[in-house]
Amino acid sequence: MRREMHCLSLLKFYLLVNILSTMAFTVGAQVRLITDAVDTSAGNLPCYEIQTPRATYYLEKSGAGLSSLIDRAGNDWIGFHPKEGSGSAGEYRGFPNAVHQQDGSFFHPKNKGTDPSSTQVIHKSPEKVTILATSNNKNWQCRWDFYPSHCTFTMTKMPSDYAYWVLYEGTPGGEYNDSDWYVTSAIEEKTPLTTRHEGDIPAPEWIAFGDQASERVLFLTHHQDDGHPDTFYQMNKQMTVFGFGRKGLTKYMTTVPQSFSIGFTRYTSHKQIEAHIKKLMK
């Protein structure tokens, strides 16, 4: 009897191990790439659609910038649309909108002013999708790495006599509201979007945006510390304008490689957000 019970216990043990192994594989299979997608909210532009447990990203193929960033509740925290003349209500939005009238305009979802880039999937696995983008003049290049928890944009090539910035121009929680808020590595109190920010964000460089009606927070972080100004303001009460390495229309980023991550967290307190970002950056 004891021997039978022992055999039954072993059988249960091996079944449990098998289940856990299956679960581990399922958990690992978290990043899914659709290469021939379209972003219907962005005028049916051809995109890469990258699905993860925390967000769905739409990387517009010609401009090589994010046109939509959808949380699990279906809210778009970017809300790009290429309609000419829509300005802050559509055509200005995107991430990272990095190269603006600097030897061209690149890495912005396609609008009238965006110059084209070519894109190539160079890695695809359940753990990560990597897409390389090269400007058509061959002078600029960037890499997109999509992970289960976040996305990282890295500028990898640039001309020596130009500069760039990295922008989040979008809609916290799906639309702009004065009650939306931000915090940074140095600002612990939730600050309404009606309050402008100017000056270098200290290491670790990060900012997070929240919506009163959402349990999610969008964070952006710069992996390399610098002394460049970082600026935030709202535009026409329609979108955020936040830039790493920006003051007015002046761009300050002049070296590569430089990496910037964007993603969601359910943490809403300053201490928890910072701990989450520090863990991610390690």
Side-chain angles (χ1 to χ4, degrees), residues 27-43:
V27 169
Q30 292 180 319
V31 183
R32 179 170 179 254
L33 171 66
I34 302 174
T35 59
D36 56 350
V38 295
D39 190 344
T40 56
S41 67

Side-chain angles (χ1 to χ4, degrees), residues 258-277:
Q258 296 281 329
S259 296
F260 307 81
S261 291
I262 185 170
F264 291 111
T265 177
R266 287 184 177 270
Y267 298 125
T268 58
S269 76
H270 185 276
K271 184 178 181 179
Q272 289 174 316
I273 295 170
E274 180 153 283
H276 177 84
I277 291 172

Side-chain angles (χ1 to χ4, degrees), residues 18-252:
N18 184 61
I19 290 170
L20 290 174
S21 298
T22 303
M23 287 176 63
F25 178 78
T26 303
V27 169
Q30 292 180 319
V31 183
R32 179 170 179 254
L33 171 66
I34 302 174
T35 59
D36 56 350
V38 295
D39 190 344
T40 56
S41 67
N44 293 316
L45 291 175
C47 289
Y48 297 101
E49 180 181 341
I50 301 93
Q51 300 173 356
T52 75
R54 295 187 181 178
T56 297
Y57 305 86
Y58 287 87
L59 180 64
E60 195 275 310
K61 288 186 175 180
S62 176
L66 292 183
S67 56
S68 292
L69 175 51
I70 314 296
D71 67 20
R72 292 297 89 190
N75 301 309
D76 186 355
W77 291 60
I78 291 179
F80 169 80
H81 194 282
K83 181 180 178 181
E84 187 176 354
S86 59
S88 55
E91 64 180 333
Y92 292 168
R93 300 173 182 176
F95 175 86
N97 302 357
V99 184
H100 175 251
Q101 298 177 358
Q102 296 282 289
D103 190 38
S105 295
F106 302 105
F107 312 144
H108 188 299
K110 183 181 179 181
N111 61 25
K112 184 181 179 181
T114 306
D115 292 308
S117 296
S118 60
T119 55
Q120 178 186 7
V121 178
I122 60 173
H123 177 83
K124 182 174 69 172
S125 73
E127 292 76 34
K128 183 176 72 169
V129 166
T130 300
I131 298 172
L132 191 68
T134 306
S135 63
N136 273 16
N137 64 9
K138 310 298 183 184
N139 291 338
W140 301 84
Q141 192 170 76
C142 69
R143 186 181 71 246
W144 291 91
D145 292 300
F146 296 91
Y147 301 94
S149 58
H150 64 285
C151 161
T152 297
F153 166 86
T154 303
M155 188 73 81
T156 58
K157 180 182 178 182
M158 65 175 295
S160 60
D161 50 347
Y162 289 101
Y164 64 97
W165 53 34
V166 168
L167 308 184
Y168 164 58
E169 296 182 297
T171 50
E175 64 177 5
Y176 173 90
N177 293 289
D178 283 347
S179 60
D180 295 342
W181 52 268
Y182 69 89
V183 292
T184 75
S185 59
I187 300 173
E188 297 187 13
E189 184 177 353
K190 293 178 181 178
T191 305
L193 297 192
T194 51
T195 302
R196 188 181 182 100
H197 174 276
E198 290 187 351
D200 177 43
I201 295 176
E205 292 195 3
W206 64 265
I207 188 169
F209 293 92
D211 182 295
Q212 298 285 7
S214 175
E215 60 183 2
R216 295 168 180 84
V217 169
L218 179 73
F219 65 85
L220 300 99
T221 183
H222 181 194
H223 291 235
Q224 294 80 28
D225 183 37
D226 59 38
H228 302 324
D230 307 305
T231 300
F232 166 76
Y233 61 93
Q234 60 81 18
M235 188 171 188
N236 301 324
K237 296 198 172 184
Q238 292 179 316
M239 74 173 191
T240 61
V241 181
F242 170 73
F244 285 116
R246 173 177 183 165
K247 184 176 182 180
L249 292 178
T250 302
K251 306 160 189 70
Y252 286 85

